[in-house]
Amino acid sequence: HAFNVCQTANVYLTALQRETGFAISKLDAFTVLVAALCHDLQHPGVTNQFLTLTNHSLSLRYNDQSVLESHHSSVALSMFFGPSASTSGGAALIASFSAADVTAFRRLLVDLILSTDLAAHGQLVEKLSTVADAAGPADRAKKLLGSDSKLLLLKAVVKASDISNEARSFQFSQRWAPLVKEEFYLQGDTQKSLGHNGINAMYDRSLPQSAVCFDQPQFIEFLCTPLYAVLERIAPVTFGIPSGNLKANALKWKQQQPGYNGPAANGSSSYASLAGSKPGSPVGSPNRMIPPPESEESEDYESEDDN
């Protein structure tokens, strides 16, 4: 997953710069790639809500606030600045940086990793949408170079890469989704073993409606589509194919539902209920992956980079 997110972030960032003229420094680009690699360091395979519910030591350490993301960023910082920095290779990577660059790198790395918290997803999409509304095609690149707007866009690139499974062609997404689902089920199994009541349906493997074919369309609708739709407004060439894949994949998953006979109307979602949100608002999932199959040719945004 880490290498996938890093590679996807590199593709999105490179294409975005070519399309919009959005130029960022080498330091910013380096930090985006490092954040993509490090954003899930030592992930335990459960959600922030679970860690808080079980009074996990990480939740107590980080005061129930962005628990996993705070831990991921802390581990990442340790690799560059902690006692093991010399043996991990982190210190060598930034040895030539000026003091100012080290400070900027450190700050941006933490900002980018913390931004992957799903609790911050809706706010990020809303702020980015405001930027997209304020900047027409002619002055969009200039608008995005503002410090606040640039940070928003870099966060969005990392976030879109993190949830990019369903923005790929179906041959890829259909292999990732069951793995994410099994991670959910394992959390649900643990909650049952601990005697927890009111387990969210998406974590309960005993419920037919928790199956992947029901789960993934909701994941796409409530989490992926709002972010990719805003990014497509900013850079339609860069994000047009991923956005098209989201629509196609949602339909393909629905077609696997028993008794499906046409497009389903928008309804309630376990993804939305986790955060008390509406369609287009965030909540989400741990994200894991195995290599894609070697066969099946189809249009995929980064197919050339995968080879």
Side-chain angles (χ1 to χ4, degrees):
H1 173 61
F3 288 107
N4 166 62
V5 175
C6 182
Q7 184 267 344
T8 303
N10 182 57
V11 171
Y12 286 170
L13 199 58
T14 301
L16 184 65
Q17 291 179 88
R18 290 175 179 172
E19 179 180 355
T20 66
F22 171 65
I24 64 171
S25 67
K26 292 182 179 179
L27 177 62
D28 285 344
F30 171 77
T31 310
V32 166
L33 299 184
V34 172
L37 282 171
C38 297
H39 78 283
D40 269 347
L41 282 174
Q42 295 186 357
H43 197 299
V46 293
T47 63
N48 283 333
Q49 294 96 326
F50 177 86
L51 295 177
T52 300
L53 184 65
T54 57
N55 294 315
H56 193 278
S57 60
L58 289 178
S59 189
L60 299 177
R61 178 182 303 167
Y62 296 113
N63 304 309
D64 298 342
Q65 301 297 312
S66 299
V67 177
L68 287 170
E69 295 74 25
S70 295
H71 181 61
H72 304 325
S73 61
S74 177
V75 176
L77 286 178
S78 296
M79 293 173 60
F80 287 93
F81 303 103
S84 64
S86 59
T87 55
S88 70
L93 284 174
I94 61 173
S96 64
F97 286 14
S98 67
D101 283 348
V102 169
T103 298
F105 165 71
R106 184 169 179 153
R107 182 184 299 115
L108 181 58
L109 179 63
V110 172
D111 282 345
L112 293 176
I113 294 178
L114 290 181
S115 73
T116 63
D117 183 359
L118 291 164
H121 183 87
Q123 186 179 37
L124 185 152
V125 172
E126 183 178 348
K127 288 183 177 180
L128 193 65
S129 180
T130 301
V131 172
D133 290 339
D139 63 345
R140 187 158 293 154
K142 182 178 180 181
K143 181 73 175 180
L144 292 174
L145 283 174
S147 58
D148 292 341
S149 298
K150 182 180 74 171
L151 178 59
L152 271 176
L153 190 56
L154 295 180
K155 288 179 178 180
V157 166
V158 173
K159 185 61 182 176
S161 302
D162 187 23
I163 60 173
S164 64
N165 292 356
E166 287 294 349
R168 301 168 181 272
S169 59
F170 195 65
Q171 64 168 331
F172 295 96
S173 67
Q174 68 181 339
R175 290 175 60 89
W176 289 67
L179 298 178
V180 177
K181 192 74 238 187
E182 181 58 24
E183 191 169 276
F184 279 5
Y185 284 156
L186 289 174
Q187 176 175 314
D189 295 343
T190 301
Q191 290 186 259
K192 287 182 180 180
S193 70
L194 294 173
H196 293 174
N197 296 318
I199 298 173
N200 191 291
M202 66 194 298
Y203 301 110
D204 192 341
R205 68 174 76 241
S206 68
L207 299 178
Q209 65 267 33
S210 73
V212 174
C213 60
F214 291 101
D215 188 83
Q216 289 307 110
Q218 295 179 3
F219 174 71
I220 292 170
E221 176 187 354
F222 284 84
L223 184 61
C224 302
T225 297
L227 175 58
Y228 274 88
V230 175
L231 287 171
E232 187 179 10
R233 285 162 53 199
I234 294 172
V237 175
T238 299
F239 293 100
I241 291 176
S243 294
N245 285 337
L246 289 174
K247 296 176 183 178
N249 291 344
L251 179 58
K252 289 179 180 178
W253 284 117
K254 288 178 181 179
Q255 289 171 340
Q256 295 184 16
Q257 297 172 0
Y260 175 79
N261 59 4
N266 292 339
S268 62
S269 167
S270 295
Y271 284 98
S273 64
L274 284 180
S277 55
K278 302 175 182 179
S281 300
V283 256
S285 70
N287 217 348
R288 303 291 182 266
M289 186 188 256
I290 55 176
E294 295 181 358
S295 59
E296 295 188 42
E297 295 183 0
S298 70
E299 184 178 35
D300 186 67
Y301 187 85
E302 54 268 286
S303 58
E304 292 183 0
D305 299 84
D306 288 334
N307 291 330

